[in-house]
Amino acid sequence: MRTTSRRLADGREIVYFDENPDAPPRTAADTRDLPQVSAASEIRRDPLTGEWVAMAAHRQTRTYMPPADLCPLCPSTPERPSEVPEGDYDVVVFENRFPSFAQGVPDAGPTTVGDAGIVPVAPGTGRCEVVCFTSDHDGSFGRLTPTRVRTVVDAWADRTAALSATPGVRQVFPFENRGEEIGVTLPHPHGQIYGYPFVTPRTERMLATAAAHRDRHGTHVLGDVLAAERASGERIVAAGEHWTAFVPPAARWPVQVQVVPHRQVADLTELTDAERDDFARVYLTVLAQCDGLYDRPLPYVAGWYQAPTDTDRELSWLHLELLSVLRSADKLKYLAGSESGMAVWINDSTPEQIAERLRTAGPPVR
């Protein structure tokens, strides 16, 4: 694979990942007249929960569901320049034009909301990137070849390393939102990578649980869950030499799958070539099952749980989690009183039922 870093008209970085190292060089210039990106994000700490919340009002003006011939993620043409100056690409990553977190955010020093001093405020320093998985506007991640998925994994790992070294970034989260029901604003197959200026609340909770489990049992909690799932097989939906995909035994969502490596690693950069290749095969099986579930493209969120950049890496176990709000072919799960108000989840299906439906909806488990 060949990696080429260039700059867009407004100074944002764009990185091309070419599967053929002998492909023509990436030299196309961005001909657009763009204003400089001006992000004014800030984060505020909720005094009741201790969790950071991002405020990014400038994102209200981001592009929303343009027609296909105006898609900003398709390759550029002479008549229509886009976010990708080249006329084609394999995988490409660029800084988000409407970032939730960014470098150069104004920093007024330690401050609070109002004079009471109980709600700390800090700049939303970090980085947000867009990952385009293919130049095919009508494609999807599930229709990528194993070779292309491997290229995407390599790109995720490359950007995880780069963002982990970016000032102010404490955790890197690559993810894909798919489908209008999820809130996608651009239909072109793509994902995002967030470099957060804090360790996310979900990660903090998982690390605390892992620490307590290690102190009590001397083992990693996800390693023990993985061993139990592989021994039972009841909730497994796909498996390979290095990865197992299963519905978690306490699943919250109508469709929820965790894809877990058999070896504990902190983040994507630590995966071997064999592990990256095997992930492609296992994950494509999972996505085929998901799209076969209701005989329609399944809306989902899929994201990588990685270690923080600067703490508790020995407590982390990399894994991907996919979830969907679709509880039947034409019904959505809404986060109502119990889920939204108290974070107490109520699932209308059992994890065992979800796993069986997925297994019968797609390719057989290897």
Side-chain angles (χ1 to χ4, degrees), residues 175-359:
F175 64 97
E176 179 192 4
N177 295 332
R178 183 205 192 191
E180 290 189 54
E181 297 92 339
I182 296 296
V184 167
T185 58
L186 294 172
H188 191 110
H190 75 288
Q192 300 183 64
I193 306 176
Y194 273 23
Y196 293 108
F198 49 79
V199 179
T200 65
R202 181 85 184 272
T203 302
E204 284 188 331
R205 180 68 178 270
M206 293 172 69
L207 291 172
T209 300
H213 188 91
R214 181 194 59 185
D215 292 345
R216 183 172 182 179
H217 301 286
T219 56
H220 195 285
V221 60
L222 183 51
D224 288 351
V225 169
L226 175 63
E229 293 303 318
R230 294 181 70 192
S232 164
E234 189 174 12
R235 287 169 292 275
I236 289 178
V237 297
E241 181 180 356
H242 300 286
W243 297 79
T244 296
F246 57 89
V247 177
R252 294 170 167 81
W253 297 91
V255 180
Q256 187 173 349
V257 179
Q258 292 176 342
V259 188
V260 182
H262 298 169
R263 182 176 67 95
Q264 182 182 2
V265 296
D267 60 29
L268 287 156
T269 69
E270 297 182 1
L271 293 175
T272 65
D273 287 343
E275 288 168 335
R276 297 180 189 201
D277 287 339
D278 192 51
F279 169 79
R281 292 186 289 267
V282 172
Y283 191 45
L284 286 174
T285 298
V286 171
L287 293 180
Q289 293 169 332
C290 288
D291 283 350
L293 189 59
Y294 301 121
D295 196 27
R296 56 161 289 189
L298 186 76
Y300 64 74
V301 175
W304 285 101
Y305 288 80
Q306 303 198 95
T309 63
D310 58 357
T311 185
D312 293 324
R313 293 180 66 82
E314 77 286 353
L315 288 173
S316 301
W317 192 308
L318 172 76
H319 62 285
L320 178 140
E321 184 165 89
L322 179 149
L323 57 89
S324 178
V325 297
L326 204 64
R327 61 185 178 89
S328 70
D330 58 356
K331 294 184 176 67
L332 299 178
K333 176 181 177 60
Y334 292 97
L335 302 190
S338 186
E339 289 91 353
S340 296
M342 286 289 107
V344 176
W345 293 73
I346 301 169
N347 200 334
D348 295 331
S349 300
T350 68
E352 295 73 30
Q353 290 171 336
I354 297 170
E356 178 60 24
R357 287 161 51 211
L358 285 169
R359 283 194 296 263

Side-chain angles (χ1 to χ4, degrees), residues 71 73-75 84 87-92 132-139 144 148 188-189:
C71 174
L73 306 185
C74 286
V84 186
D88 66 359
Y89 62 83
D90 291 339
V91 175
V92 68
C132 296
F133 307 134
T134 171
S135 61
D136 180 5
H137 180 84
D138 297 317
L144 300 180
R148 177 56 54 82
H188 191 110

